[in-house]
Amino acid sequence: DTAVSQTPKYLVTQMGNDKSIKCEQNLGHDTMYWYKQDSKKFLKIMFSYNNKELIINETVPNRFSPKSPDKAHLNLHINSLELGDSAVYFCASSHLDRETFNYGYTFGSGTRLTVV
Amino acid sequence: AQSVSQHNHHVILSEAASLELGCNYSYGGTVNLFWYVQYPGQHLQLLLKYFSGDPLVKGIKGFEAEFIKSKFSFNLRKPSVQWSDTAEYFCAVNARRGNNRLAFGKGNQVVVIP
């Protein structure tokens, strides 16, 4: 049973196309994220949703639009893809124990996007 | 916002050698600290985390880390590495009373030579 699942695992597409990456978590977590890992392996947060509400929106081109239909899903839609969008995109979810402030994060297996 | 520094991005060592990876964070408030490992072509896996209590944290695969509050550090150690420890290692921090943002360091690429 995959806790955080992303589809597709690999995505190769041409410049200018529009594509979506889907993410689902079955952990009952209330917060979900999208991270981008560039060619140098640097991980940077893009978006975060808490109970379908956007709470983090980093400096990301507005060609990237997250959509959260419910708290178990956070999809990423990318318009007019550019070469620089090539990266691995990781979805994650988290849960906070409000007594101990113990955060638990779980990451998906990543989507390798290649724009040609 | 919190930030994380990891030094010595590329580390090459032989099997059975000891490993120590440095991690320093910048944030004025209380934090939770994490170390993740990413094996080649795979996703992030949690090695260990600190949120309270004993500052010496033991994780999976024989790794441990020590939180030194006065130094804003959370260094990762393993006394004797194996070839299978070849991976990218990421330190991460989030603010205890923040917006759940998990900020990552730039990672350490560790290569263990058999």
Side-chain angles (χ1 to χ4, degrees), chain B residues 21-25 33-35 48-50 55 57 65-68 72-76 91-92:
Chain B
L21 301 176
C23 172
N24 290 91
Y25 68 92
L33 295 151
F34 306 79
W35 274 98
L48 47 78
K49 66 179 177 182
Y50 171 83
V57 180
E66 186 175 10
F67 171 48
I68 303 179
F72 297 89
S73 70
F74 191 54
N75 293 353
L76 181 72
C91 183

Side-chain angles (χ1 to χ4, degrees), chain A residues 31 33 35 37 40-43 45 48 50 55-56 58 90 94 100-105 107-110, chain B residues 9 32 34 36 38 42-44 49 51 88 90 94-106:
Chain A
T31 307
Y33 312 80
Y35 280 84
Q37 187 175 42
K40 295 184 179 178
K41 304 285 189 180
F42 184 49
L43 277 153
I45 191 166
S48 170
N50 181 272
I55 57 172
I56 296 174
E58 289 293 291
F90 286 99
S94 74
T100 63
F101 286 95
N102 180 2
Y103 283 83
Y105 292 86
F107 284 81
S109 56
Chain B
H9 181 66
N32 297 314
F34 306 79
Y36 284 88
Q38 187 178 27
Q42 295 193 26
H43 64 286
L44 291 160
K49 66 179 177 182
F51 60 98
E88 192 90 18
F90 295 93
N94 79 341
R96 184 71 64 87
R97 296 178 192 273
N99 58 7
N100 299 346
R101 175 200 305 265
L102 188 61
F104 285 89
K106 294 194 174 181

Side-chain angles (χ1 to χ4, degrees), chain B residues 14-72:
Chain B
S14 300
E15 276 193 315
S18 64
L19 173 68
E20 180 160 358
L21 301 176
C23 172
N24 290 91
Y25 68 92
S26 170
Y27 184 70
T30 307
V31 296
N32 297 314
L33 295 151
F34 306 79
W35 274 98
Y36 284 88
V37 61
Q38 187 178 27
Y39 297 104
Q42 295 193 26
H43 64 286
L44 291 160
Q45 298 176 43
L46 180 68
L47 274 179
L48 47 78
K49 66 179 177 182
Y50 171 83
F51 60 98
S52 69
D54 189 344
L56 184 61
V57 180
K58 294 197 184 299
I60 61 171
K61 303 179 189 284
F63 285 90
E64 64 177 32
E66 186 175 10
F67 171 48
I68 303 179
K69 190 175 179 181
S70 60
K71 295 185 178 180
F72 297 89

Side-chain angles (χ1 to χ4, degrees), chain A residues 7 9 11 14 19-21 55 59 62 69 75 78 86 101:
Chain A
T7 54
K9 194 172 172 65
L11 182 55
Q14 289 186 324
K19 290 292 178 186
S20 292
I21 307 172
I55 57 172
T59 308
N62 57 15
N75 303 324
I78 315 170
S86 295
F101 286 95

Side-chain angles (χ1 to χ4, degrees), chain A residues 9-50:
Chain A
K9 194 172 172 65
Y10 300 96
L11 182 55
V12 181
T13 187
Q14 289 186 324
M15 280 173 52
N17 284 350
D18 303 339
K19 290 292 178 186
S20 292
I21 307 172
K22 295 185 177 181
C23 179
E24 175 182 5
Q25 54 98 3
N26 62 5
L27 297 165
H29 287 174
D30 45 18
T31 307
M32 295 185 72
Y33 312 80
W34 277 108
Y35 280 84
K36 179 180 180 181
Q37 187 175 42
D38 62 23
S39 58
K40 295 184 179 178
K41 304 285 189 180
F42 184 49
L43 277 153
K44 189 169 164 55
I45 191 166
M46 300 173 70
F47 302 103
S48 170
Y49 271 74
N50 181 272

